[in-house]
């Protein structure tokens, strides 16, 4: 037999041998067993690295942005004073005066500088109530004024008296039944203030004994 013919037959034999081996491998090692190897290979090669990175960025955004609007539930703008409240005739701190707060109603409030945005003569109460939205009672909340109570009767209400709140200083406050803890006849103020935790306008309320002239 000539050399070219022998080479052709040899090549054909190799093709048959390799084809048979490939088919036998498919029977002995099925695709279902091979696929986990492929998946592991893709993982080791960081084929899914972008998706994992995107998920990590999302978690970081949640961690940094969970309380981005501020750490307290008071609105940034407390709004207008309640209807019927009487402006103070000669307040110690006039509207526009700079004051230093000594109240600690909220984080960062004690020692903060503020600007008076309203001064009023009324009865002011510390109250305890359970929010209409549920959750634990709010104890000794300072402050609400007499005009923020629903048909309370003559002022002042005595400690232990109950009244329905019309104030909306925080979620779940309006419509809640409150118990009076204490009352004061001091001049009461709305203030604008900025701290590391918040910026607020017309914050309600701060009584006169919780303020001093700004340095």
């Amino acid at each position: 037999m000539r050399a070219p013919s022998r080479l052709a037959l040899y090549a054909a034999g190799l093709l048959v041998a390799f084809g048979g081996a490939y088919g036998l491998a498919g029977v002995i090692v099925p695709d279902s067993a091979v696929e986990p190897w492929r998946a592991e290979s893709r993982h080791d090669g960081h084929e899914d690295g972008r998706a994992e990175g995107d998920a990590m960025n999302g978690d970081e955004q949640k961690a940094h942005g969970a309380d981005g609007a501020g750490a307290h539930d008071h609105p940034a703008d407390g709004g207008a004073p309640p209807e019927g409240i009487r402006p103070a005739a000669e307040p110690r701190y006039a509207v526009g005066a700079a004051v230093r707060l000594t109240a600690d109603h909220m984080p960062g409030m004690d020692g903060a500088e503020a600007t008076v945005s309203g001064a009023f003569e009324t009865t002011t109460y510390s109250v305890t109530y359970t929010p209409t939205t549920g959750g634990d009672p709010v104890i000794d909340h300072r402050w609400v004024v007499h005009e923020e109570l629903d048909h309370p009767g003559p002022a002042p209400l005595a400690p232990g008296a109950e009244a329905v709140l019309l104030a909306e200083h925080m979620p779940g406050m309006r419509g809640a039944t409150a118990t009076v803890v204490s009352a004061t006849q001091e001049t009461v103020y709305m203030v604008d203030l900025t701290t590391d935790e918040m910026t607020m306008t017309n914050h309600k309320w701060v009584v006169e004994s919780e303020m001093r002239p700004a340095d």
Side-chain angles (χ1 to χ4, degrees):
M1 183 179 294
R2 297 181 179 179
S5 298
R6 287 197 302 269
L7 290 175
L9 288 174
Y10 181 71
L14 288 176
L15 288 174
V16 171
F18 281 116
Y22 181 80
L24 183 60
V27 173
I28 297 174
V29 186
D31 288 342
S32 61
V34 174
E35 181 56 33
W37 300 343
R38 294 174 180 167
E40 186 174 351
S41 176
R42 287 196 300 267
H43 177 74
D44 291 342
H46 303 286
E47 185 172 313
D48 296 327
R50 176 173 296 182
E52 291 176 3
D54 290 346
M56 187 180 299
N57 290 339
D59 290 341
E60 290 173 354
Q61 290 174 359
K62 291 178 183 177
H64 289 291
D67 297 320
H72 205 273
D73 288 336
H74 279 66
D77 186 346
E83 185 176 351
I85 195 169
R86 184 175 62 193
E90 296 181 3
R92 179 179 180 185
Y93 304 105
V95 173
V99 296
R100 184 75 61 181
L101 303 180
T102 59
D104 59 355
H105 306 169
M106 298 178 293
M109 193 175 193
D110 189 8
E113 187 169 323
T115 302
V116 173
S117 57
F120 305 92
E121 294 178 359
T122 185
T123 302
T124 305
Y125 301 98
S126 167
V127 297
T128 292
Y129 68 96
T130 298
T132 59
T133 51
D136 296 331
V138 178
I139 308 298
D140 196 15
H141 171 77
R142 301 185 184 187
W143 303 92
V144 297
V145 296
H146 197 78
E147 290 77 11
E148 293 177 315
L149 305 178
D150 188 17
H151 297 91
L157 299 183
E162 292 188 344
V164 175
L165 299 174
L166 299 177
E168 297 181 278
H169 304 172
M170 296 185 291
M173 194 173 191
R174 185 179 180 89
T177 298
T179 301
V180 173
V181 177
S182 63
T184 177
Q185 302 295 133
E186 298 176 67
T187 302
V188 65
Y189 296 85
M190 297 191 309
V191 295
D192 300 340
L193 71 153
T194 298
T195 72
D196 292 340
E197 288 80 11
M198 59 191 161
T199 296
M200 300 183 67
T201 57
N202 295 329
H203 170 69
K204 302 182 178 73
W205 302 92
V206 183
V207 296
E208 193 162 285
S209 61
E210 297 175 321
M211 308 163 65
R212 61 179 175 83
D215 299 334

